[in-house]
Amino acid sequence: MLGTDTLLVTDDAGVLVVTINRPKALNALNQAVIAGLQHVLDEAAEAARAGRVRALVLTGAGEKAFVAGADIAAMADMSVGTAREFARSGHAVGDALASLPIPTIAAVNGFALGGGCELALACDFIYAAENAKFGQPEVKLGVIPGFGGTQRLARRVGLARAIELCLTGDTIDATEATRIGLANRVLPAAELLPATIATARKIAEMGPVAVAEAKRVLYAGAGLPLSQANALEVEAFAGLFDTADQKEGMAAFLGKRKPEFKGQ
Ligand code: CAA
């Protein structure tokens, strides 16, 4: 899979590591980065369906930033129409991450502000380096989050904490982000990427159809009344009994051996 000059893509034995690579601008998201991400995620979806890719890790180049936000220089002169298209393109990337049938983990290695926090939130979960800083500072620029921050942040950490962050523009550190449930783990900077890849690899060894179904049902159910969400789970659970992975997983357990999942 090919990257671009602002995106580095490596395939670590089925774990795709996507690095946003504009360290001089703290990896700020301009149209080129967003278009590149969309392209890489479209290719990742195809590779995941074919069983060539089992997990995706998203991170930023350099030691200072994951992504310091949407590119302010690129946004400064935008019209209402251009801003709408820009926001839609950011949302499309978020939706592409959430709808991938494989786990996506953000390895937040520094500033994750504005569009950077939103991009991390679009991943299934976040691991943070000790120097990570999270925030939605858009109000300081006279705008609001445009890549999902008002919605995904509220769903991740609750309405009151999301409103406080979006209205004050305050930045929080990795420990606080973990305390409020924005990040799942804090790690020393040098251990962040290896630990994130190790978790991605651990999930990659599970039954791929089950992983995809668990992710689909968790997201789909989050916006539904509990009874409807539970009905989704029942159907997904039952449907998995028509897969080779279910037969293999249970036979392997009973035969006291390691399963060999085929993703079917
Ligand atoms: N857009 C464009 N360039 C940015 C940027 C951004 N979001 N963030 C940092 N940069 C650039 C700086 O302009 C600077 O470039 P030059 O060296 O050419 O001057 C370079 O990155 C390094 O940044 P600083 O010198 O500012 O570094 P610092 O350590 O002093 O401060 C920082 C770091 C606190 C993250 C600061 O850069 C900052 O506040 N950045 C902006 C954060 C922000 O407001 N993000 C939200 C953007 S709006 C948005 O994202 C909307 C949306 O939801 C879609």
Side-chain angles (χ1 to χ4, degrees):
M1 194 168 299
L2 288 180
T4 64
D5 50 350
T6 51
L7 277 182
L8 308 173
V9 182
T10 58
D11 185 340
D12 189 328
V15 176
L16 212 61
V17 180
V18 180
T19 305
I20 297 167
N21 185 34
R22 290 186 75 204
K24 284 189 182 141
L26 302 189
N27 303 320
L29 303 172
N30 59 16
Q31 280 100 335
V33 176
I34 292 170
L37 274 171
Q38 186 68 54
H39 176 73
V40 165
L41 294 172
D42 290 345
E43 284 201 342
E46 221 176 288
R49 281 193 292 270
R52 295 194 304 274
V53 167
R54 291 274 164 92
L56 185 145
V57 169
L58 187 60
T59 193
E63 287 163 10
K64 209 171 155 184
F66 172 72
V67 167
D71 191 312
I72 299 168
M75 285 187 297
D77 295 325
M78 279 184 183
S79 66
V80 170
T82 320
R84 183 178 293 114
E85 284 313 307
F86 188 57
R88 282 185 175 148
S89 66
H91 273 277
V93 165
D95 292 345
L97 278 165
S99 62
L100 276 180
I102 52 172
T104 58
I105 315 176
V108 172
N109 55 314
F111 290 110
L113 302 178
C117 189
E118 294 168 300
L119 193 60
L121 277 164
C123 294
D124 297 331
F125 54 90
I126 297 171
Y127 282 1
E130 281 167 349
N131 67 325
K133 297 258 192 288
F134 297 82
Q136 296 290 165
E138 288 89 346
V139 284
K140 295 182 185 171
L141 301 166
V143 293
I144 68 167
F147 291 172
T150 60
Q151 306 308 313
R152 282 202 175 90
L153 184 61
R155 285 168 196 223
R156 186 73 58 91
V157 304
L159 200 54
R161 290 193 198 288
I163 291 181
E164 186 180 8
L165 284 167
C166 288
L167 268 51
T168 60
D170 279 349
T171 296
I172 57 171
D173 65 16
T175 306
E176 177 66 359
T178 309
R179 195 184 70 79
I180 67 173
L182 173 53
N184 283 15
R185 279 181 75 182
V186 186
L187 292 142
E191 290 169 30
L192 176 68
L193 201 53
T196 309
I197 292 172
T199 297
R201 193 167 303 297
K202 180 200 269 188
I203 299 172
E205 284 172 13
M206 306 299 153
V209 188
V211 167
E213 280 294 89
K215 176 169 168 171
R216 182 182 69 77
V217 169
L218 276 151
Y219 278 122
L224 294 176
L226 186 59
S227 58
Q228 283 177 35
N230 279 338
L232 264 187
E233 182 187 89
V234 169
E235 281 315 302
F237 175 79
L240 287 164
F241 284 75
D242 196 24
T243 65
D245 282 358
Q246 174 267 328
K247 314 243 173 305
E248 169 62 11
M250 294 193 183
F253 176 82
L254 296 172
K256 302 190 187 304
R257 62 176 173 82
K258 207 169 172 264
E260 284 179 33
F261 292 118
K262 300 264 188 306
Q264 292 162 359

